[in-house]
Amino acid sequence: MVVRPIPKAVLIHQCTYEEFVQGDGFETEDGFKPPVTLSNVLIQPSNTSNPNITRNANGEILVFNSVLFFDVVNSSSNGPFEFKEKSKVTFNGKDMIVEKVNPIYAFTLHHWEVYLT
C-alpha cells in the first residue's frame, strides 16, 4: 500500500519561515536565522466555530490560530531549515509563532503539521 502525497493543487500557499535560535544567556540573545521561503504549503486558519485545539503533555488545552501543512514530497523551500518551536512564520503580512511541531508518518515521514499562534 502506498500513501500518496498531499496534492499540489491543495498546497496553495507560500510563506516565510525563520528558525528560532536560542541565545546563550550571556553574550548572545535569542534570535532567528535568515528567512527561508516555503512553497506549496497549506496554511489552514481556524475560526471561532471550529478552533484548532489540542492538549499538551501536561493536559493543558492549547488553541492555535492556524496550522501549516508541509508535505515531504510536494512542498519545498529555498534553503535548509528544520521546524522548531518558537520559530516565526510570516503569511500574508502576519507574523505567527510555532507552538507545536507534529510529524505525521505513513510508514515513513509523510508531512508536517505545524501549529501556529
Side-chain angles (χ1 to χ4, degrees), residues 78-89:
N78 69 338
F81 75 100
E82 178 182 338
F83 286 116
K84 285 186 173 179
E85 293 178 359
K86 299 184 182 178
S87 295
K88 182 169 41 172
V89 172

Side-chain angles (χ1 to χ4, degrees), residues 53-81:
I53 299 174
T54 189
R55 292 185 184 269
N56 68 10
N58 297 325
E60 298 169 332
I61 294 176
L62 303 173
V63 179
F64 301 101
N65 295 333
S66 300
V67 180
L68 182 151
F69 296 88
F70 185 94
D71 185 77
V72 173
V73 174
N74 286 328
S75 298
S76 62
S77 70
N78 69 338
F81 75 100

